[in-house]
Amino acid sequence: MSQPAPNTSKPLWHLDGLQALLTAGSLLNAIAFFAAMPFASIYLATHTPLSNAAIGAVVGGIALIGSVGGVLGGVLVDRFGAVPMMSLGLVAYTGIYVSLTVARETSVIVALLLGLGAARLFVEPGGKKLLSLAAGDDGRIFRVRYMVLCFGAIIGPAIGGVLYNVSVTAFFAVPALFYAGYFVLVLVFRKQLSFQESSGMEAGTHFPLRAAVRDRKLLAAIAAGFAIFLVFSQLESMIPLYIKGEWGQEAVGYFAGLFITNAVLALAFQVPIDWLSRKVSHNLLILIGCAGFALSFACFMAASTQGLVMLYIGIVFWTLGEGVLLPLPDIAIHEIATDDRKGTYFGLSECRYLGFFAGPFIGGLLLAQESVYFVVMALAIFICVPLLVSKGPAIATARSEKKEEAADADV
């Protein structure tokens, strides 16, 4: 499929019909996710006899199934099509949340929550594949997707926080409605979405899993994403513990303020970051993002002696680093994956979310020595630099190489 040249001069928010449709779907997905999942631990602690360790295992297991299972999901998306697989995942999401409105047995609740991870492994690779196909060569669409996630992270918890205190039925019914709406959107426009996918496929193509796991550029993008998420996970795991150690009972309020500031700034920063990405080289942009994270850890460490203001200065730098770096692995995968393997590539890339598991564990080991913790985390983000810097040929050449490799791949 011949892709149009990217028009990086157009505004970031300028979307065509299919791009707008898929972005709307991503928004429904984000609001549904953030309306329920941030409260999952509290719900389990209130409505089940599970220990804190067991609750952590259940909540972590949801993400683990989605990330590791994303490989299977991506393969199935390429094999059977994004629209059927996404429809299956969205029906599963809706059914699970509807079932949670009436579930009362601990074993049933746990099984249903873990099922959310299984639903994710169909929806995420399929959605990203379709978005990548609709975007052509302009990978900036994944910055738009990141903005949508930030917006969902603001709206979703506000909805969930209100409904959690109303009733369990209302709390779980809302994400069910959002996922049902997403399913209806896919169902209504299934012909256009299927055409978008099929127009980029050659007859007789198969999922190139073996070729994917041998693709060094893909593995580099996944490793970079793992390093980014390892560091990024500190904001929701170790930083709150650090604040608690410094400010005691006031920590909850302070962290809530930081979290809201981060979400709002993350949304607002994408347009200037997009402008910056067109003014500086790709490699310099990566270094700017890493420097943002590193400076944030320096500010957080200084807060223990310099006061609360350093936390908020730190969150500004943090959000700069986050806004620059978080979309880059998806943009890289968008650029290196040919149309016939986008589902597999995006599915395999879900493994980078394992950084959310390694990050809190490593951070927990280091936090006892605060100075060591902050220095290690400030340096760890630079692991992604050699993995993301531009070394290869232009995107068009890379796509041509991928097509030749696909023809020869033993699948």
Side-chain angles (χ1 to χ4, degrees):
M1 179 180 179
S2 178
Q3 300 283 12
N7 180 11
T8 56
S9 63
K10 69 180 183 180
L12 185 63
W13 55 86
H14 185 274
L15 306 176
D16 66 22
L18 276 181
Q19 292 172 358
L21 169 66
L22 292 165
T23 300
S26 296
L27 178 59
L28 293 172
N29 190 358
I31 294 175
F33 177 86
F34 286 109
M37 287 310 299
F39 306 94
S41 296
I42 299 174
Y43 170 78
L44 287 170
T46 304
H47 295 277
T48 73
L50 295 177
S51 65
N52 289 339
I55 290 172
V58 173
V59 175
I62 299 170
L64 181 62
I65 292 170
S67 59
V68 176
V71 179
L72 172 62
V75 167
L76 293 175
V77 163
D78 279 342
R79 181 70 167 180
F80 299 107
V83 173
M85 292 298 100
M86 287 180 67
S87 298
L88 178 62
L90 291 169
V91 168
Y93 266 136
T94 304
I96 289 170
Y97 277 112
V98 169
S99 299
L100 282 168
T101 64
V102 297
R104 296 296 180 265
E105 293 293 328
T106 298
S107 59
V108 175
I109 292 172
V110 169
L112 289 170
L113 288 175
L114 291 176
L116 294 174
R120 175 188 170 89
L121 66 87
F122 295 113
V123 175
E124 290 299 308
K128 288 181 179 179
K129 177 179 183 176
L130 290 175
L131 194 60
S132 180
L133 289 170
D137 281 345
D138 191 356
R140 297 188 306 156
I141 190 66
F142 287 97
R143 292 203 176 277
V144 177
R145 183 179 181 274
Y146 173 74
M147 292 174 67
V148 164
L149 293 178
C150 293
F151 188 76
I154 297 171
I155 300 300
I159 296 173
V162 171
L163 294 180
Y164 185 85
N165 294 316
V166 174
S167 72
V168 170
T169 300
F171 175 68
F172 286 122
V174 167
L177 287 173
F178 276 105
Y179 280 121
Y182 192 0
F183 170 67
V184 170
L185 199 66
V186 171
L187 195 63
V188 170
F189 294 96
R190 65 187 184 282
K191 291 184 179 179
Q192 295 94 318
L193 294 172
S194 297
F195 177 78
Q196 177 69 58
E197 183 176 19
S198 62
S199 63
M201 300 289 290
E202 298 178 3
T205 56
H206 299 289
F207 53 92
L209 182 58
R210 294 182 187 177
V213 297
R214 294 196 300 264
D215 190 323
R216 293 182 179 180
K217 292 181 179 179
L218 172 63
L219 297 179
I222 295 172
F226 176 88
I228 292 169
F229 282 133
L230 184 149
V231 174
F232 180 70
S233 67
Q234 303 306 307
L235 184 63
E236 297 181 20
S237 57
M238 294 301 108
I239 298 301
L241 295 182
Y242 164 71
I243 295 174
K244 185 177 184 297
E246 295 293 331
W247 284 280
Q249 293 182 347
E250 297 176 326
V252 174
Y254 291 160
F255 179 69
L258 284 180
F259 196 82
I260 294 171
T261 301
N262 170 247
V264 173
L265 289 177
L267 184 62
F269 276 9
Q270 276 307 300
V271 171
I273 286 173
D274 178 66
W275 175 86
L276 181 65
S277 70
R278 290 181 277 126
K279 299 299 181 181
V280 303
S281 70
H282 175 72
N283 295 348
L284 178 57
L285 187 68
I286 295 169
L287 289 174
I288 291 172
C290 291
F293 273 117
L295 288 171
S296 71
F297 282 111
C299 291
F300 292 155
M301 182 169 61
S304 62
T305 57
Q306 301 299 315
L308 188 64
V309 67
M310 295 304 296
L311 287 180
Y312 284 91
I313 295 175
I315 207 65
V316 174
F317 284 121
W318 179 282
T319 310
L320 172 64
E322 172 188 338
V324 169
L325 294 181
L326 257 65
L328 288 184
D330 277 335
I331 292 174
I333 294 166
H334 162 81
E335 292 175 351
I336 65 176
T338 50
D339 295 347
D340 63 317
R341 61 180 66 183
K342 285 185 183 294
T344 300
Y345 273 44
F346 280 114
L348 194 58
S349 74
E350 292 290 293
C351 290
R352 70 186 187 268
Y353 287 94
L354 292 174
F356 276 115
F357 296 93
F361 175 73
I362 294 173
L365 294 177
L366 296 174
L367 191 58
Q369 299 292 327
E370 289 181 358
S371 59
V372 174
Y373 166 78
F374 285 114
V375 170
V376 169
M377 288 300 163
L379 295 177
I381 191 61
F382 288 93
I383 294 173
C384 75
V385 173
L387 299 168
L388 287 175
V389 294
S390 298
K391 294 179 180 179
I395 293 172
T397 304
R399 287 182 178 272
S400 177
E401 291 175 352
K402 291 298 175 191
K403 289 179 180 178
E404 293 177 1
E405 291 174 7
D408 298 331
D410 178 14
V411 296

